[in-house]
């Protein structure tokens, strides 16, 4: 072997390591996030339908909050909480595509509902981007590969 030319094995090893280290963002291509949440509301008087509607509204807000916390890193959320509150949390209904109440119960003057909620990731991303909230911050690698090469003298 000539000095200064990498071997075929080191090229293949480097390519394999780079392929394994590349981040995979399959979830970013998904347009909808489906979450299951519990909503609750205190029962006021004998009006069960009002407490059921309030419990559903609570679950929809919780669903958007869950999806938001999965998409926005904690450091970003802390630094931009006012903007997030104004752009997203004040109008959570715009991100709910649809929902289905799976079951409900009444326990000790509290109405509880289990709801399946589909949240629009495209709308959420668009609103966060327009509010100037960064979503795609680079994360530092969790594993660092070091390759020591020795060249054969010749």
């Amino acid at each position: 072997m000539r000095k200064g030319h990498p071997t075929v094995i080191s090229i293949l090893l480097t390519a394999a390591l780079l392929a394994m280290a590349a981040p995979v963002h399959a979830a970013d291509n998904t347009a909808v996030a489906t979450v299951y949440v519990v909503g609750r509301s205190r029962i006021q008087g004998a009006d069960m339908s009002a407490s059921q509607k309030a419990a559903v509204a609570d679950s929809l807000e919780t669903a958007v909050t869950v999806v938001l916390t999965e998409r926005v890193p904690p450091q970003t959320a802390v630094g931009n909480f006012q903007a997030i509150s104004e752009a997203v949390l004040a109008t959570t209904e715009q991100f709910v595509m649809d929902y289905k109440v799976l079951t409900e119960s009444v326990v000790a003057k509290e109405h509880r509902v289990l709801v399946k909620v589909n949240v629009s990731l495209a709308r959420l991303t668009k609103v966060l981007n327009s509010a100037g909230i960064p979503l795609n911050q680079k994360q530092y690698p969790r594993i660092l590969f070091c390759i020591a090469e020795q060249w054969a003298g010749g």
Side-chain angles (χ1 to χ4, degrees), residues 122-141:
R123 288 182 199 153
L124 184 61
T125 301
K126 182 178 178 183
V127 168
L128 289 170
N129 285 336
S130 67
I133 299 165
L135 290 177
N136 297 328
Q137 290 183 328
K138 298 289 183 189
Q139 296 288 329
Y140 290 110

Side-chain angles (χ1 to χ4, degrees), residues 31-35 37 56-67 88 91-100 115-124:
V32 176
T34 302
V35 291
V37 292
V56 169
D58 179 57
S59 68
L60 299 179
E61 184 174 335
T62 301
V64 173
T65 304
V66 166
V67 173
V88 177
T91 59
T92 55
E93 65 277 354
Q94 69 175 317
F95 307 107
V96 175
M97 294 181 68
D98 59 11
Y99 67 92
K100 180 179 181 182
V115 182
K116 175 184 174 183
V117 185
N118 291 318
V119 178
S120 171
L121 295 178
R123 288 182 199 153
L124 184 61

Side-chain angles (χ1 to χ4, degrees), residues 4 12 22 28 34 36 43 47 53 58 61 67-68 93 102-103 108-109 118 121 146 151:
L12 292 174
D28 290 342
T34 302
Y36 296 85
I43 298 172
D47 190 5
K53 287 179 184 176
D58 179 57
E61 184 174 335
V67 173
L68 177 69
E93 65 277 354
L102 301 174
T103 189
K109 294 270 189 185
N118 291 318
L121 295 178
C146 294
W151 300 97

